[in-house]
């Protein structure tokens, strides 16, 4: 009887050990959550955006807005009167100019806590807004006129880009609808080029080359376009 009890106890012990080992072998490790990795990867892949907006009623144009990205040549601009339908168009900004603009924004601490306005009784020159955005971080600063040299440099570039796109738009409209007026548009372009107001005049080279090679335009306009293109290429 004692021998039977001992064998029964031994059999139970063996079965229990087997079940325990099987349970440990079947257990699989808890997978780590990929949410944090995905989130950080998405944030790292998102470049900063720098923007400028000017609203100046009773001027021409009344509304200007430009947005550029730190990681892309593609930028957007909108130039219109306030009563016109909104709608942004695309253009390109070189990496060299973008680097300069973002460096100026860095010096201004991405506009966080900045007060750029001169706070004096001067004429209304239009409300200007600098904006900086990366992911959930968003900062902006508004001013009418500033004496801050870094902000003035950034403002000059943004307004130069706006003027550059205005002139390119004018040239394209004259090419389509007013060929006799092409020389006047080229004179405006040349005046701003002489004053170093255009940040990237090389963007106009395809348009200038097209005018110079098209016999439908007046000779004086074609020659001016040719001279401007040669000058821009030499400066570049």
């Amino acid at each position: 009887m004692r021998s039977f009890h001992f064998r029964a106890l031994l059999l139970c012990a063996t079965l229990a050990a087997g079940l325990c080992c099987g349970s440990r072998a079947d257990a699989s490790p808890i997978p780590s959550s990929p949410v944090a990795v995905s989130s950080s990867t998405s944030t790292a892949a998102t470049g900063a955006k720098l923007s400028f907006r000017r609203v100046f009623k009773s001027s021409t144009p009344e509304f200007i807005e430009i947005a550029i990205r730190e990681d892309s040549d593609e930028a957007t601009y909108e130039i219109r009167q306030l009563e016109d339908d909104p709608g942004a168009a695309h253009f390109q900004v070189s990496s060299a100019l973008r680097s300069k603009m973002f460096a100026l924004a860095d010096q201004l601490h991405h506009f966080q806590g900045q007060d750029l306005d001169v706070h004096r009784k001067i004429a209304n020159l239009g409300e200007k807004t600098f904006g900086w955005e990366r992911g959930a971080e968003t900062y902006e600063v508004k001013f009418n006129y500033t004496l801050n040299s870094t902000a003035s440099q950034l403002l000059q570039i943004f307004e130069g880009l706006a003027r550059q796109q205005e002139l390119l738009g004018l040239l394209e409209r004259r090419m389509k609808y007013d060929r006799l007026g092409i020389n006047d548009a080229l004179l405006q372009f040349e005046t701003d080029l002489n004053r170093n107001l255009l940040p990237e005049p090389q963007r106009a080279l395809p348009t200038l080359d097209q005018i110079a090679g098209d016999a439908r335009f007046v000779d004086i306009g074609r020659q001016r376009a040719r001279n401007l293109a040669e000058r821009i290429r030499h400066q570049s």
Side-chain angles (χ1 to χ4, degrees):
M1 181 63 70
R2 289 179 181 176
S3 176
F4 173 77
H5 286 165
F6 175 77
R7 286 198 298 271
L9 289 173
L10 182 62
L11 178 59
C12 290
T14 303
L15 289 173
L19 289 172
C20 182
C21 291
S23 178
R24 285 197 300 268
D26 292 340
S28 56
I30 298 174
S32 58
S33 173
V35 174
V37 176
S38 298
S39 177
S40 62
T41 303
S42 175
T43 302
T46 303
K49 183 174 77 171
L50 185 61
S51 63
F52 167 71
R53 182 173 62 253
R54 192 197 74 185
V55 179
F56 193 1
K57 293 182 179 180
S58 302
S59 68
T60 302
E62 292 181 317
F63 182 88
I64 295 173
E65 188 167 51
I66 294 176
I68 66 172
R69 300 203 70 88
E70 191 173 21
D71 54 0
S72 173
D73 288 354
E74 292 296 322
T76 60
Y77 74 96
E78 188 172 353
I79 303 173
R80 58 180 173 85
Q81 297 302 104
L82 289 172
E83 63 185 13
D84 295 338
D85 293 333
H90 292 270
F91 75 117
Q92 291 195 326
V93 178
S94 70
S95 59
L97 184 59
R98 293 198 320 272
S99 295
K100 181 178 180 180
M101 297 173 74
F102 274 93
L104 291 170
D106 288 345
Q107 292 178 42
L108 293 168
H109 308 289
H110 305 151
F111 319 124
Q112 184 178 10
Q114 296 292 301
D115 185 2
L116 300 180
D117 197 90
V118 69
H119 294 295
R120 295 177 187 170
K121 290 185 178 180
I122 60 174
N124 176 25
L125 302 174
E127 183 186 69
K128 305 165 187 71
T129 305
F130 287 145
W132 189 91
E133 178 182 335
R134 190 203 300 270
E137 287 185 87
T138 303
Y139 307 109
E140 69 173 29
V141 60
K142 299 178 184 292
F143 60 97
N144 175 51
Y145 180 75
T146 184
L147 295 176
N148 184 297
S149 61
T150 304
S152 295
Q153 290 180 62
L154 185 59
L155 176 63
Q156 184 178 10
I157 295 173
F158 269 122
E159 290 189 330
L161 287 173
R163 180 58 178 164
Q164 184 175 292
Q165 293 308 120
E166 268 192 291
L167 289 170
L168 285 173
L170 176 63
L171 287 171
E172 291 170 359
R173 288 193 300 273
R174 295 289 172 86
M175 290 170 68
K176 289 181 179 179
Y177 308 115
D178 184 13
R179 292 174 190 159
L180 293 176
I182 197 69
N183 190 57
D184 176 66
L186 288 167
L187 276 171
Q188 293 185 48
F189 183 92
E190 185 174 11
T191 298
D192 283 3
L193 183 65
N194 291 340
R195 297 170 62 193
N196 295 318
L197 297 179
L198 309 180
E200 294 190 311
Q202 67 272 19
R203 300 292 180 186
L205 285 173
T207 301
L208 295 174
D209 289 341
Q210 186 176 349
I211 296 170
D214 194 333
R216 295 176 298 173
F217 297 111
V218 293
D219 288 341
I220 188 173
R222 294 174 63 195
Q223 186 59 47
R224 174 164 275 109
R226 192 175 297 113
N227 292 340
L228 286 169
E230 289 177 1
R231 175 181 168 186
I232 292 170
R233 286 191 171 95
H234 179 72
Q235 290 177 343
S236 299

